[in-house]
């Protein structure tokens, strides 16, 4: 890329797009087109996050109107998450080979059109299928968008500022999705499905004008690891389906065991394919980086816990306590405000503080939030049982989300930025899909509670989420201590 979109001034030139030396090297003085580029890329990530949590608020209303039980409702979220997580690696590879601009704009168009169609249909299975299509589209926009950022802004203050704005927008989408979902569900649950469509198409129009064109790339279809993409996605789908169906047919039932075995064989097949393929979907050597592996595990634990907690609490507040979607929106608003406010300073924090320390601090906030909610009892006041949890979760998301993205892509060569960003986002969505399946299974295997009481399986489900957060926190602390020991050894 070598497109110069810089302001014409008498001052030394600072170009906004392109490969070195034309990368953005300063954290200030960006041109209007640079900001518009960042708005388009961050806006797409905002929609991706918004779509997951916004539809989550509408699930009780959708279930009531369409006659869907908890198992079917969780697929409204899981289909999107699986399409997203299952093809992110292919999306990252495609953006590196086909061109980031082309991949980003095409996927954004598919996302917008699928949103509009899903809001118009009455067929449950078609809604779920279109949710999967939207997830696949997001799987191509995210790594392409993140790669455009990391190849446009030089590593250091400029990239940290851009990544901070970008990732905070993604975190804001997850947090404010509860607010948007509540407001839109008051009109109709279909409004939550259609809302991302026009916004995505508007971003498409602007993006076509500001995303830089790159030189054509030479590639052959043999460079696409299609078999790797098929086996990895099939392994995830099989695993989640096995967990969801297990409470109904039995964890030791032959069908359940067969599904787990098939998932394991598909995963093993994926690894074997990656080892032998000339152009693997995942170059396994990249996993030698402890920082990258730590960022990916942290992303999975963070999002898995958060999206599963949101699913459980949404059912409790609306189905048991009788909260309206508007009350849900207002109840979770403080978390969204915290995440949005963090955009004002997170770039400076990332410049000064080790991302491993930030990730650890974020998990401490998540853990306090989950443990606080475990004190919930029927009849408790909002200020006592939910507000503190919302504030701690907002703080945790604001700190952890940009930190894992920054750590996952730092020090990675430009030609593998798509792979690195695809990996961290894949881990994020896999964590969400698996924890959604686990918590849904726990809810379905328990007796439903009476109106006004705790829903069956809620406390065990949130306890599991808290345990996962403890594991992630201990892992982060262990990585920090191991790094310090290596530093001391090298110095000695």
């Amino acid at each position: 890329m070598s497109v110069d979109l810089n302001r014409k001034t008498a001052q030394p030139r600072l170009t906004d797009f392109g490969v070195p030396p034309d990368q953005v090297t300063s954290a200030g003085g960006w041109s209007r087109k640079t900001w518009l580029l960042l708005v388009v890329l961050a806006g797409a990530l905002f929609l991706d996050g918004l779509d997951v949590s916004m539809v989550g608020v509408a699930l009780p209303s959708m279930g009531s109107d369409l006659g869907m039980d908890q198992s079917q409702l969780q697929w409204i979220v899981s289909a999107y998450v699986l399409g997203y997580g299952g093809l992110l690696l292919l999306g990252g590879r495609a953006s590196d080979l086909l061109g980031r601009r082309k991949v980003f704009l095409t996927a954004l168009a598919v996302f917008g059109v699928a949103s509009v169609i899903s809001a118009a249909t009455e067929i449950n299975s078609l809604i779920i299928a279109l949710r999967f299509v939207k997830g696949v589209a997001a799987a191509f926009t995210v790594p392409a968008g993140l790669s455009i950022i990391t190849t446009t802004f030089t590593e250091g203050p400029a990239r940290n500022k851009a990544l901070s704005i970008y990732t905070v927008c993604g975190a804001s989408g997850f947090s404010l999705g509860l607010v948007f979902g509540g407001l839109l569900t008051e009109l109709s649950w279909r409004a939550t499905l259609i809302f991302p469509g026009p916004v995505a198409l508007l971003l498409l129009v602007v993006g076509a004008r500001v995303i830089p064109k790159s030189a054509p790339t030479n590639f052959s279809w043999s460079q696409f690891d299609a078999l790797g993409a098929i086996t990895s996605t099939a392994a995830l789908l099989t695993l989640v389906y096995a967990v969801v169906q297990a409470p109904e047919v039995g964890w030791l039932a032959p069908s359940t065991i067969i599904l787990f075995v098939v998932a394991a064989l598909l995963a093993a097949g994926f690894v074997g394919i990656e080892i032998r393929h000339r152009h693997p979907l995942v170059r396994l050597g990249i996993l030698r980086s402890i920082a990258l592996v730590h960022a990916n595990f942290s992303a999975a634990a963070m999002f898995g816990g958060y999206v599963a907690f949101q699913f459980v609490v949404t059912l409790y507040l609306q189905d048991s306590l009788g909260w309206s979607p508007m009350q849900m929106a207002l109840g979770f608003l403080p978390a969204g405000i915290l995440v949005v406010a963090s955009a004002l300073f997170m770039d400076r924090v990332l410049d000064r503080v080790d991302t491993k320390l930030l990730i650890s601090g974020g998990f401490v906030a998540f853990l306090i939030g989950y443990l606080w909610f475990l004190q919930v009892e029927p009849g408790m006041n909002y200020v006592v049982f939910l507000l503190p949890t919302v504030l701690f979760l907002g703080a945790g998301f604001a700190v952890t989300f940009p930190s894992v993205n920054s750590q996952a892509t730092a020090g990675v060569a430009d030609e593998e930025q798509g792979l690195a960003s695809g990996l961290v986002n894949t881990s994020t969505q896999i964590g969400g899909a698996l924890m959604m399946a686990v918590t849904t299974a726990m809810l379905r295997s328990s007796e439903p509670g009476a109106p006004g009481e705790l829903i069956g399986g809620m406390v065990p489900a949130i306890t599991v989420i808290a345990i996962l957060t403890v594991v992630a926190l201990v892992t982060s602390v262990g990585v920090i201590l191991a790094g310090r020991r290596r530093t001391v050894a090298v110095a000695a």
Side-chain angles (χ1 to χ4, degrees):
M1 290 178 284
S2 57
V3 181
D4 185 2
L5 297 175
N6 207 38
R7 296 172 179 169
K8 295 181 179 179
T9 67
Q11 299 299 319
R13 186 168 72 95
L14 176 66
T15 53
D16 291 332
F17 304 121
V19 296
D22 295 325
Q23 284 184 320
V24 176
T25 58
S26 169
W30 296 351
S31 72
R32 178 172 172 269
K33 283 193 174 181
T34 299
W35 281 109
L36 279 176
L37 170 68
L38 203 52
V39 166
V40 170
L41 301 177
L45 186 65
F46 178 85
L47 284 182
D48 294 337
L50 187 77
D51 205 284
V52 175
S53 57
M54 180 171 63
V55 170
V57 178
L59 290 181
S61 299
M62 294 176 68
S64 176
D65 284 356
L66 299 176
M68 302 173 76
D69 59 22
Q70 286 183 0
S71 174
Q72 293 172 307
L73 286 177
Q74 75 93 23
W75 279 108
I76 297 290
V77 176
S78 292
Y80 180 90
V81 169
L82 283 170
Y84 196 166
L87 291 172
L88 265 165
L89 296 176
L90 184 62
R93 183 68 174 158
S95 68
D96 289 338
L97 292 175
L98 295 177
R100 293 158 185 136
R101 182 181 190 272
K102 182 188 301 182
V103 168
F104 180 87
L105 294 177
T106 302
L108 193 59
V110 172
F111 185 93
V113 172
S115 297
V116 174
I117 296 175
S118 65
T121 184
E122 298 281 347
I123 305 171
N124 296 355
S125 57
L126 183 56
I127 293 176
I128 293 174
L130 287 168
R131 294 286 298 165
F132 182 78
V133 170
K134 289 180 66 174
V136 171
F140 284 80
T141 59
V142 171
L146 188 54
S147 297
I148 291 170
I149 287 179
T150 54
T151 54
T152 299
F153 297 86
T154 302
E155 189 168 342
R159 185 180 294 180
N160 283 343
K161 180 178 179 179
L163 280 175
S164 174
I165 294 170
Y166 178 76
T167 54
V168 165
C169 282
S172 300
F174 291 124
S175 299
L176 291 179
L178 297 169
V179 179
F180 277 81
L183 295 173
L184 292 173
T185 304
E186 289 288 346
L187 301 175
S188 168
W189 58 263
R190 293 187 184 278
T192 64
L193 297 179
I194 197 172
F195 176 78
V199 179
L201 297 177
L202 175 61
L203 292 174
L204 175 67
V205 172
V206 179
R209 299 176 63 87
V210 300
I211 297 177
K213 296 180 180 179
S214 56
T217 56
N218 295 320
F219 74 96
S220 65
W221 287 108
S222 63
Q223 291 176 287
F224 279 101
D225 182 9
L227 195 55
I230 291 171
T231 52
S232 61
T233 305
L236 289 174
L237 284 168
T238 305
L239 178 60
V240 172
Y241 184 75
V243 174
V244 171
Q245 295 300 310
E248 187 173 316
V249 300
W251 287 94
L252 297 178
S255 60
T256 303
I257 295 174
I258 290 172
L259 286 172
F260 280 124
V261 170
V262 170
L265 290 174
L266 287 168
F270 169 71
V271 173
I273 291 167
E274 300 311 283
I275 292 173
R276 293 176 176 82
H277 203 284
R278 291 182 61 188
H279 303 283
L281 204 59
V282 179
R283 185 182 65 81
L284 298 180
I286 200 172
L287 300 179
R288 294 191 184 101
S289 169
I290 294 176
L292 184 143
V293 172
H294 171 238
N296 278 262
F297 175 73
S298 298
M302 171 201 67
F303 187 66
Y306 180 83
V307 74
F309 178 83
Q310 176 189 309
F311 178 71
V312 174
V313 173
T314 296
L315 295 177
Y316 172 59
L317 295 179
Q318 293 195 46
D319 289 352
S320 182
L321 299 188
W323 283 31
S324 69
M326 179 67 77
Q327 288 174 308
M328 278 275 305
L330 296 177
F332 280 91
L333 180 60
I337 293 174
L338 274 179
V339 174
V340 172
S342 69
L344 302 174
F345 58 83
M346 270 309 297
D347 61 314
R348 296 190 293 276
V349 173
L350 288 170
D351 284 339
R352 294 175 173 83
V353 184
D354 186 351
T355 50
K356 299 179 187 67
L357 290 173
L358 293 174
I359 292 170
S360 299
F363 279 124
V364 169
F366 276 119
L367 181 59
I368 294 173
Y370 297 141
L371 293 178
W372 188 283
F373 191 84
L374 282 174
Q375 306 174 77
V376 65
E377 294 178 359
M380 291 182 73
N381 186 277
Y382 164 77
V383 174
V384 175
F385 87 96
L386 188 57
L387 180 59
T389 290
V390 167
L391 293 174
F392 279 114
L393 296 189
F397 219 109
V399 172
T400 310
F401 195 82
S403 298
V404 295
N405 280 277
S406 178
Q407 182 171 306
T409 56
V412 178
D414 281 356
E415 62 270 17
E416 288 196 321
Q417 283 292 334
L419 170 59
S421 60
L423 276 172
V424 71
N425 283 286
T426 296
S427 299
T428 301
Q429 302 307 319
I430 289 174
L434 291 178
M435 285 304 294
M436 275 286 292
V438 169
T439 51
T440 301
M442 297 181 76
L443 295 180
R444 292 180 64 199
S445 61
S446 303
E447 292 294 327
E453 301 293 327
L454 304 182
I455 61 175
M458 184 177 79
V459 171
I462 296 176
T463 301
V464 169
I465 293 169
I467 291 172
L468 172 66
T469 307
V470 170
V471 172
L473 174 59
V474 171
T475 301
S476 296
V477 173
V479 170
I480 293 171
L481 295 177
R484 289 179 177 175
R485 283 196 295 270
R486 283 195 301 272
T487 302
V488 171
V490 170

